[in-house]
């Protein structure tokens, strides 16, 4: 039996020919942060209907873990009132401070937030969310999927 021969196209031979990843060809990712499962599922459907890829979190703590581990989140859509160490508004401000390029949509069925309450360039919607409005807003903020 012949000993294992080193491949002629070793990693060093391939590296100079590797093309950098073109992120513009990848689908845009939307982080959905909602503690109520049925509402989260509905928002995930909206994200998919808009042509984007959803990633789900049940609270701000899980959302922060996801944000720290991924670099492909383009938009976060979060409920305002959630259990955990911070609510959705606090999460939105933390995202704006730590990941400024991420677009933010906040939603609440009990609070009515003004533009002065939410981070700069964010949007607020009252619940129940209207699918056509949310899809149009995501497309306006992110561009076509």
């Amino acid at each position: 039996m012949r000993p294992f021969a080193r491949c002629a196209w070793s990693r060093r031979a391939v590296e100079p020919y590797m093309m950098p990843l073109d992120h513009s060809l990848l689908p845009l990712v939307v982080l959905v942060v909602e503690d109520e499962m049925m509402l989260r599922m509905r928002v995930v459907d909206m994200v998919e209907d808009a042509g984007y890829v959803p990633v789900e979190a049940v609270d701000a703590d899980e959302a922060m873990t996801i944000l720290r581990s991924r670099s492909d989140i383009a938009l976060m859509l979060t409920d305002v009132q959630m259990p955990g160490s911070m609510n959705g508004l606090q999460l939105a401000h933390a995202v704006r401070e730590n990941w400024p390029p991420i677009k933010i949509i906040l939603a609440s069925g009990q609070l009515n937030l003004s533009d002065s309450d939410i981070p700069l360039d964010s949007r607020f919607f009252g619940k129940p969310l209207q699918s056509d409005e949310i899809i149009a807003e995501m497309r306006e903020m992110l561009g076509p999927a």
Side-chain angles (χ1 to χ4, degrees), residues 1-10:
M1 181 185 280
R2 289 179 56 189
F4 182 80
R6 185 175 176 136
C7 182
W9 51 270
S10 70

Side-chain angles (χ1 to χ4, degrees), residues 45-58:
D45 286 343
M46 290 179 205
V47 170
E48 290 173 338
D49 289 346
Y52 306 118
V53 175
V55 173
E56 302 175 48
V58 298

Side-chain angles (χ1 to χ4, degrees), residues 4-23:
F4 182 80
R6 185 175 176 136
C7 182
W9 51 270
S10 70
R11 185 166 199 239
R12 288 188 183 180
V14 173
E15 282 177 359
Y17 303 104
M18 294 179 76
M19 298 293 290
L21 183 61
D22 184 354
H23 288 282

Side-chain angles (χ1 to χ4, degrees), residues 88-99:
L89 184 57
Q90 293 165 322
L91 172 63
H93 284 287
V95 167
R96 177 59 68 235
E97 183 178 321
N98 294 292
W99 299 279

